[in-house]
Amino acid sequence: MITIKEITSKADLTTFVKFPFKLYKDSPYYVPSIIKEELDVMNPAKNPVFKNAVAKYFLAYKNEKIVGRIAAIINWIEVKEQKKPKIRFGWFDVIDDIEVTKALLAKVVDFGKQHSLEYMEGPVGFSNMDKAGILIKGFEELNTMITWYNYPYYQQHMEKLGFEDAATWVEYKIKVPKETKDKVIKFAKIIKERYQLQLLKFKKSKELLQYADDMFDLLNKTYSSLQTFVPIQQYQIEMYKKKYLPYLNPEYITCIADKSGKLIAFSIVMPSFSKALKKMNGKIYPLKFLHILKAQRRNDTAAFYLIGVDPEYQNKGVTALIFKEMNETFIRNGIEMVETNPELEENKAIQALWNDYDHEQHKIRRTYRKSL
């Protein structure tokens, strides 16, 4: 018999967060999240997203054992301002039993109907900055710090239960050239001089703070036309500054300003933390965090997380200047491979950036949608 329990206590929430550790304990490719960070994300007292969102969390039991989990989420900005009558579901993990999946999703349906919503979509988080998508290709690859891992049967469960494809993301591995191509160097110089651009580099992560708000503003402008877009609110920005600043190596951040000093483009790349996070196994106490510090300084793989370009400068070659700086940073630090952030399949402009490099599409992930 399958029983679904709504979480009402801190202890149950901790159990909810830790369930994937048990489910994927034998997988060499699962990279766990930091337990404390996951708990903070789900805590209305610590995550400002709850100013415009509401969530319920559920655990599935079978024969008195936990066999699945799911979060049901409503983002009120998405529903009321963007007129999308959608309930989200995320933090979805389950054993290979479609009846468990069906029972968990039924709770999402119930919560959505209570608020007169029309359809459900997931797995996604609270906003664009959270993890999203069921992995459907790349099961023998480590997940990154900002993606979920899952077993192949997740896709089969969704399709058998009548879900339709919603959004699809692709990810790439890119081989770093051993030297920056001459044409990139020349083109970057031309673009920099033509538009009188300034290159901003940083020695300390705290120096980035003065540009953080401008970066998020550029993100909102860059991705506003994409189907999954929900504007990032200022109170969320403040949380993201605190959450991600400790992981940033300023040498890997490139910012470009116009002649007046206004930020018009940026990229955020980090040394890959996948192997470090796997060693940490969800813990972040000082000795465990040494794995992150080591990965920041000695690594042969980097993760390309974000790029933002002011619409006024899009399609004007500004990315050549960014790529030149990134490639030179990679060469100095012994980076041989870069893994991209998930990119929406229809975002051809971003994917075109990799055409001049030796690259491989190694992962695909997808969200699924169904009427309530």
Side-chain angles (χ1 to χ4, degrees):
M1 180 179 176
I2 299 168
T3 303
I4 306 299
K5 176 183 177 180
E6 181 179 347
I7 288 174
T8 57
S9 70
K10 184 176 180 181
D12 284 344
L13 189 59
T14 301
T15 301
F16 178 95
V17 168
K18 289 183 175 180
F19 172 66
F21 289 77
K22 182 182 296 184
L23 182 65
Y24 301 110
K25 66 179 180 179
D26 296 323
S27 171
Y29 308 108
Y30 168 67
V31 175
S33 300
I34 299 298
I35 294 170
K36 183 183 181 301
E37 289 184 357
E38 288 285 274
L39 290 170
D40 288 349
V41 166
M42 298 173 188
N43 185 346
K46 294 189 176 182
N47 188 349
V49 76
F50 286 96
K51 292 181 179 181
N52 60 262
V54 62
K56 287 188 176 184
Y57 311 106
F58 301 93
L59 284 169
Y61 290 80
K62 186 175 182 180
N63 299 326
E64 300 183 354
K65 293 183 179 181
I66 299 173
V67 291
R69 69 171 188 171
I70 200 166
I73 302 163
I74 302 173
N75 184 313
W76 292 117
I77 291 178
E78 185 174 49
V79 173
K80 295 179 178 180
E81 296 182 16
Q82 297 186 308
K83 308 301 180 184
K84 294 180 180 179
K86 175 173 78 176
I87 183 165
R88 297 166 164 240
F89 67 90
W91 285 272
F92 170 63
D93 287 288
V94 66
I95 65 169
D96 191 6
D97 184 334
I98 196 168
E99 293 303 318
V100 178
T101 296
K102 187 176 180 180
L104 285 167
L105 290 168
K107 291 298 182 180
V108 181
V109 171
D110 291 344
F111 191 37
K113 286 183 175 179
Q114 289 172 23
H115 294 279
S116 302
L117 301 177
E118 297 177 7
Y119 68 97
M120 61 196 296
E121 183 179 340
V124 291
F126 291 96
S127 72
N128 303 69
M129 297 296 290
D130 294 320
K131 300 174 184 180
I134 283 174
L135 189 68
I136 62 174
K137 175 187 176 182
F139 301 106
E140 295 182 354
E141 301 277 354
L142 289 171
N143 59 290
T144 67
M145 184 172 70
I146 59 169
T147 60
W148 283 311
Y149 183 81
N150 60 262
Y151 291 128
Y153 58 79
Y154 282 45
Q155 179 185 9
Q156 298 162 18
H157 285 200
M158 289 295 157
E159 292 173 351
K160 288 179 180 178
L161 290 172
F163 280 76
E164 299 176 346
D165 296 355
T168 300
W169 286 266
V170 294
E171 298 170 53
Y172 294 87
K173 284 197 296 190
I174 303 163
K175 190 174 181 180
V176 176
K178 293 184 178 180
E179 58 182 27
T180 306
K181 297 179 180 179
D182 286 341
K183 68 175 184 179
V184 173
I185 295 173
K186 292 177 182 178
F187 190 52
K189 184 174 185 295
I190 291 170
I191 296 301
K192 184 178 180 182
E193 293 175 352
R194 177 181 297 169
Y195 299 110
Q196 301 180 59
L197 301 177
Q198 306 175 53
L199 179 66
L200 307 177
K201 297 295 285 184
F202 310 96
K203 294 183 179 179
K204 297 180 180 179
S205 56
K206 289 184 178 180
E207 295 174 3
L208 293 166
L209 283 174
Q210 63 179 309
Y211 295 99
D213 288 350
D214 293 334
M215 288 182 184
F216 282 100
D217 182 55
L218 282 182
L219 280 181
N220 279 334
K221 291 178 180 178
T222 302
Y223 300 107
S224 61
S225 63
L226 299 178
Q227 60 170 306
T228 61
F229 177 76
V230 178
I232 306 166
Q233 306 301 302
Q234 185 60 41
Y235 45 82
Q236 292 174 271
I237 292 173
E238 296 304 318
M239 181 192 71
Y240 293 134
K241 288 179 189 176
K242 295 177 182 178
K243 183 176 180 179
Y244 291 113
L245 194 63
Y247 293 99
L248 296 182
N249 181 333
E251 187 179 1
Y252 286 76
I253 311 302
T254 300
C255 289
I256 299 172
D258 64 14
K259 62 181 179 180
S260 70
K262 176 188 173 184
L263 189 72
I264 61 97
F266 76 94
S267 69
I268 294 178
V269 179
M270 291 189 255
S272 174
F273 296 124
S274 293
K275 293 179 180 179
L277 288 170
K278 194 160 183 65
K279 292 176 182 177
M280 292 168 69
N281 198 35
K283 307 295 195 312
I284 201 168
Y285 53 81
L287 289 178
K288 289 286 187 179
F289 199 74
L290 288 175
H291 294 299
I292 291 291
L293 296 177
K294 183 178 179 181
Q296 284 180 325
R297 292 170 172 80
R298 287 183 289 176
N299 212 319
D300 62 359
T301 304
F304 188 102
Y305 283 108
L306 291 171
I307 186 169
V309 180
D310 191 302
E312 183 181 343
Y313 286 88
Q314 290 176 8
N315 302 315
K316 291 185 177 180
V318 174
T319 53
L321 186 53
I322 291 176
F323 279 19
K324 172 185 174 293
E325 293 304 315
M326 284 198 308
N327 201 78
E328 291 175 355
T329 297
F330 295 154
I331 292 170
R332 284 197 305 273
N333 289 278
I335 299 295
E336 300 175 0
M337 187 73 67
V338 179
E339 185 171 12
T340 70
N341 185 39
E343 304 158 0
L344 278 168
E345 190 176 44
E346 68 264 27
N347 193 356
K348 301 300 182 184
I350 289 293
Q351 292 157 46
L353 298 177
W354 321 129
N355 288 341
D356 289 335
Y357 298 87
D358 184 357
H359 66 283
E360 171 196 355
Q361 185 193 97
H362 67 309
K363 295 180 190 173
I364 302 175
R365 59 185 72 244
R366 180 172 294 146
T367 55
Y368 290 86
R369 169 177 170 157
K370 191 176 184 180
S371 297
L372 302 184

